[in-house]
């Protein structure tokens, strides 16, 4: 049930100063939220430097400046959004600017897609825009899952278009679904899954409410699924793939992620803002001022069940369940209404959500702006590397795990992969997994590549060099002192662990560059 015009935060039926204030505040918050990407040549997102390095390889493929260690192999598989678009944009601008423009486009699609979906359902701007801005720098996005962000933005647009055509001629609806399924398959497979799950749950809710007869509903669900099933069949016939094998649940993290989702750099702020948002929503629901429409109830239950049962690692892709949270946060506002009892309550709610958005943006700026110097130092250090060298990446963290204790150091994780462009180097951590990226290491270095892994613990490297490797030491580093020419050790500078094997070339506050004295 839609609240009366006196209760809604925005009401298009008559002039309302609150509505004008809401739209102005939303526009200003949107402008501020895009500022971090505009101010930073290389956004400080974990995976972003790795993606940027791959964009350089793709853009230079087939030219005299192509990297000698990598080849490009296209196949019929998904997750290629930026791999297809950025090299084309790079014909008009630098690769760095083209990659950043892709990120801006992804953010724009997220915000406008959420607004369009809400407009289709309600005929007004109400909650979705604020939800989109609040989650614009959540964990999956601030960690640099840019193809997913781009695909999710497209999915929001696809859901909105489908609902716009829900009561129209079926050929038009089928054609629109076909187009969006094809585009989403190419952009990011999990975004296609969110698109299909949302529309499937919506159609099921219509059956439950008796809005459509069972035969018609079956036909609509079949028409929804047919394009995706056809693409999967083509992929199977052409020997395509979706990532790698291997699924893991990590169920212990599922209760934790909702309290860490809001901010990718500060877990305390993420917990405070996430908890405040959840308490506010629960309080509003209990007081009856926040209501989910019937289709929204189906979607909320469906998303919750998917979050619980979906693996954390699916087809080799990590943090899959985590990605369900921003998807639900961007879709559900279009299917709910908020009716506050007075203007004071409306302004307080507006101030609260604005505070959450601005706090997240402030944290992002506080991390990203200093990283301009850190990335510049990394790029400058490539001048001390001989072109065509092999570069290994280590870490002072002996576990080799992401630095969850200090997420502000995480954006340096893949920065050394940029050496593939600036020094024509081979870096084993470059993303080159079959089914995800079209870039492959050439045969000569394939045995020492790490298609989807982080830095190697420096303690393990020292043990190997001293002839004391652990029994489970990875094969690709067992002869690292003979296979590689240089070593980056990420983290705060420490004493040289192997003075007889490593020569210090460059020291920065976030890394040390060593020349490896290669042994026979």
């Amino acid at each position: 049930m839609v609240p009366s015009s006196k209760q809604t935060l925005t009401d298009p039926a008559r002039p309302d100063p609150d509505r004008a204030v809401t739209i102005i505040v939303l526009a200003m918050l949107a402008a501020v939220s895009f500022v971090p990407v505009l101010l930073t040549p290389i956004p400080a997102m974990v995976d972003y430097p790795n993606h940027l390095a791959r964009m350089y390889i793709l853009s230079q493929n087939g030219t005299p400046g192509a990297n000698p260690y990598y080849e490009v192999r296209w196949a019929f598989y998904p997750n290629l959004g930026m791999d297809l678009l950025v090299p084309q944009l790079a014909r008009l601008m630098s690769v760095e600017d083209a990659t950043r423009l892709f990120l801006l486009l992804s953010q724009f699609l997220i915000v406008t897609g959420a607004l369009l979906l809400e407009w289709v359902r309600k005929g007004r701007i109400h909650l979705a825009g604020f939800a989109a801005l609040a989650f614009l720098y959540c964990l999956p996005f601030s960690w640099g899952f840019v193809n997913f962000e781009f695909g999710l933005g497209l999915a929001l647009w696809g859901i909105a278009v489908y609902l716009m055509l829900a009561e129209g001629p079926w050929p038009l609806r089928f054609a629109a679904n076909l187009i969006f399924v094809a585009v989403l398959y190419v952009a990011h497979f999990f975004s296609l899954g969110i698109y299909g799950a949302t529309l499937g749950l919506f159609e099921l809710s219509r059956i439950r409410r008796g809005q459509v007869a069972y035969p018609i509903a079956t036909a609509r669900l079949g028409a929804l699924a047919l394009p995706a099933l056809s693409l999967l069949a083509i992929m199977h016939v052409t020997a395509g793939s979706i990532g790698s094998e291997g699924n893991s649940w990590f169920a212990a993290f599922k209760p934790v992620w909702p309290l860490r989702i809001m901010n990718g750099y500060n877990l305390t702020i993420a917990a405070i803002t996430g908890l405040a948002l959840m308490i506010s929503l629960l309080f509003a629901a209990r007081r009856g001022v926040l209501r989910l429409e019937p289709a929204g109830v189906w979607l909320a239950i469906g998303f919750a069940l998917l979050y619980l049962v979906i693996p954390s690692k699916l087809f080799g892709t990590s943090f899959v369940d985590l990605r369900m949270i921003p998807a639900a946060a961007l879709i559900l506002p279009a299917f709910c209404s908020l009716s506050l009892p007075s203007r004071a309550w409306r302004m307080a709610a507006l101030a609260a959500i604005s505070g959450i958005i601005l706090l997240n943006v402030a944290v992002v700026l506080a991390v990203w702006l200093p990283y301009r110097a850190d990335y510049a130092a990394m790029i400058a250090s490539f001048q001390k590397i001989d072109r065509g060298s092999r570069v290994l990446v280590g870490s002072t963290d002996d576990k080799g795990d992401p630095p969850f204790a200090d997420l502000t150091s995480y954006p340096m994780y893949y920065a050394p992969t940029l050496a593939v462009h600036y020094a024509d180097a081979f870096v084993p951590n470059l993303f080159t997994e079959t089914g995800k990226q079209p870039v492959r290491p050439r045969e000569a270095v394939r045995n020492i590549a790490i298609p989807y892994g982080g830095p190697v613990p420096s303690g393990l490297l020292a043990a190997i060099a001293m002839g004391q490797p652990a029994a489970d030491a990875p094969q690709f580093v067992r002869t690292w002192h003979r296979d590689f020419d240089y070593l980056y050790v990420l983290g705060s500078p420490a004493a040289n662990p192997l003075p007889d094997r490593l020569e210090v070339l460059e020291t920065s506050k976030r890394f040390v560059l060593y020349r490896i004295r290669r042994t026979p």
Side-chain angles (χ1 to χ4, degrees):
M1 178 179 176
V2 178
S4 66
S5 60
K6 291 183 179 180
Q7 293 175 310
T8 54
L9 188 63
T10 58
D11 177 15
R14 64 186 179 88
D16 183 355
D18 288 356
R19 177 172 178 263
V21 169
T22 300
I23 294 176
I24 291 172
V25 170
L26 179 62
M28 294 176 63
L29 290 172
V32 170
S33 297
F34 295 137
V35 164
V37 181
L38 296 173
L39 290 182
T40 49
I42 302 177
M45 307 161 86
V46 183
D47 289 355
Y48 190 92
N50 205 314
H51 291 313
L52 176 58
R54 191 174 73 260
M55 294 306 103
Y56 279 120
I57 290 177
L58 290 172
S59 300
Q60 295 167 348
N61 183 49
T63 70
N67 186 292
Y69 290 109
Y70 297 95
E71 59 187 4
V72 177
R73 294 287 183 88
W74 297 98
F76 194 81
Y77 49 72
N79 306 335
L80 297 177
M82 69 185 312
D83 300 75
L84 292 172
L85 286 180
V86 170
Q88 303 307 314
L89 293 172
R91 297 181 178 184
L92 307 175
M93 61 190 77
S94 69
V95 175
E96 189 177 274
D97 287 342
T99 309
R100 196 155 46 113
L101 180 59
F102 179 84
L103 174 59
L104 274 173
L105 175 60
S106 302
Q107 292 184 328
F108 179 78
L109 288 172
I110 288 288
V111 176
T112 57
L115 289 172
L116 179 63
L117 179 56
E118 184 174 51
W119 185 266
V120 169
R121 293 297 299 170
K122 302 177 183 176
R124 69 186 190 278
I125 295 172
H126 190 199
L127 305 173
F130 295 101
L133 295 177
F135 279 82
L136 200 59
Y137 293 101
C138 66
L139 271 182
F141 297 160
S142 60
W143 281 359
F145 302 168
V146 286
N147 271 337
F148 168 68
E149 185 172 2
F150 177 73
L152 184 55
L154 288 175
L156 293 173
W157 274 81
I159 295 166
V161 170
Y162 182 92
L163 296 183
M164 193 184 303
L165 303 173
E167 304 302 332
W170 75 264
L172 185 59
R173 186 172 62 250
F174 181 83
N177 177 59
L178 177 63
I179 292 170
F180 274 103
V181 166
V183 171
L184 286 169
Y185 174 88
V186 173
H188 196 274
F189 190 76
F190 190 64
S191 297
L192 172 59
I194 290 172
Y195 167 86
T198 302
L199 295 183
L201 289 167
F202 175 78
E203 292 292 352
L204 289 174
S205 74
R206 286 160 57 88
I207 299 174
R208 181 68 177 81
R209 288 175 287 151
Q211 291 184 333
V212 292
Y214 282 101
I216 296 176
T218 302
R220 291 170 73 105
L221 288 171
L224 266 176
L226 182 60
L229 294 175
S230 301
L231 287 173
L232 290 174
I234 295 171
M235 182 186 70
H236 179 73
V237 170
T238 59
S241 62
I242 305 172
S244 60
E245 297 181 358
N247 302 323
S248 304
W249 268 261
F250 302 116
F253 282 95
K254 289 185 183 289
V256 176
W257 289 133
L259 289 176
R260 294 189 171 183
I261 190 70
M262 296 295 294
N263 191 285
Y265 302 103
N266 190 304
L267 295 182
T268 301
I269 290 177
I272 291 172
T273 54
L275 194 59
L277 191 58
M278 284 189 285
I279 291 173
S280 300
L281 293 175
L282 288 173
F283 177 78
R286 287 181 62 87
R287 295 293 298 270
V289 298
L290 179 66
R291 298 183 180 91
L292 275 172
E293 63 177 78
V297 174
W298 274 76
L299 288 170
I301 294 173
F303 289 152
L305 291 176
L306 282 172
Y307 175 73
L308 291 175
V309 302
I310 199 169
S312 299
K313 187 175 183 180
L314 179 65
F315 299 132
T317 299
S318 300
F319 305 110
V320 173
D321 54 351
L322 177 63
R323 304 176 198 221
M324 284 299 307
I325 301 177
L330 293 168
I331 293 169
L332 287 177
F335 295 86
C336 67
S337 61
L338 178 67
S339 55
L340 296 172
S342 67
R343 187 173 191 272
W345 278 98
R346 292 194 291 273
M347 292 300 103
L350 184 61
I353 191 63
S354 298
I356 290 174
I357 293 168
L358 292 174
L359 182 59
N360 279 334
V361 173
V363 171
V364 170
L365 285 171
V367 174
W368 286 21
L369 293 180
Y371 258 98
R372 293 185 300 184
D374 295 324
Y375 286 146
M378 175 64 70
I379 292 172
S381 72
F382 298 145
Q383 301 298 318
K384 299 186 177 182
I385 295 176
D386 294 333
R387 300 192 71 81
S389 299
R390 302 179 181 187
V391 179
L392 182 62
V393 184
S395 170
T396 55
D397 180 3
D398 285 339
K399 294 182 179 180
D401 295 327
F404 289 118
D406 178 19
L407 289 174
T408 61
S409 64
Y410 205 7
M412 208 66 180
Y413 216 54
Y414 291 119
T417 59
L418 291 171
V420 304
H421 167 65
Y422 288 96
D424 277 341
F426 169 75
V427 184
N429 309 89
L430 184 73
F431 292 160
T432 57
E433 187 168 359
T434 301
K436 293 183 181 180
Q437 293 88 28
V439 174
R440 299 283 175 274
R442 294 190 182 276
E443 184 64 32
V445 292
R446 201 164 294 165
N447 64 313
I448 55 174
I450 316 171
Y452 233 82
V456 183
S458 55
L460 173 60
L461 296 177
I464 291 172
M466 291 185 292
Q468 302 171 346
D472 59 348
Q475 189 64 37
F476 58 82
V477 293
R478 283 185 173 271
T479 55
W480 69 269
H481 44 296
R482 295 196 295 270
D483 295 330
F484 293 92
D485 305 295
Y486 297 90
L487 170 67
Y488 277 96
V489 176
L490 304 180
S492 300
N496 188 339
L498 297 166
D500 59 329
R501 296 284 179 88
L502 301 176
E503 174 191 353
V504 178
L505 296 182
E506 181 74 21
T507 300
S508 174
K509 70 176 184 178
R510 293 194 183 274
F511 68 87
V512 177
L513 170 62
Y514 297 99
R515 186 195 307 275
I516 300 172
R517 298 188 181 101
R518 296 174 66 172
T519 58

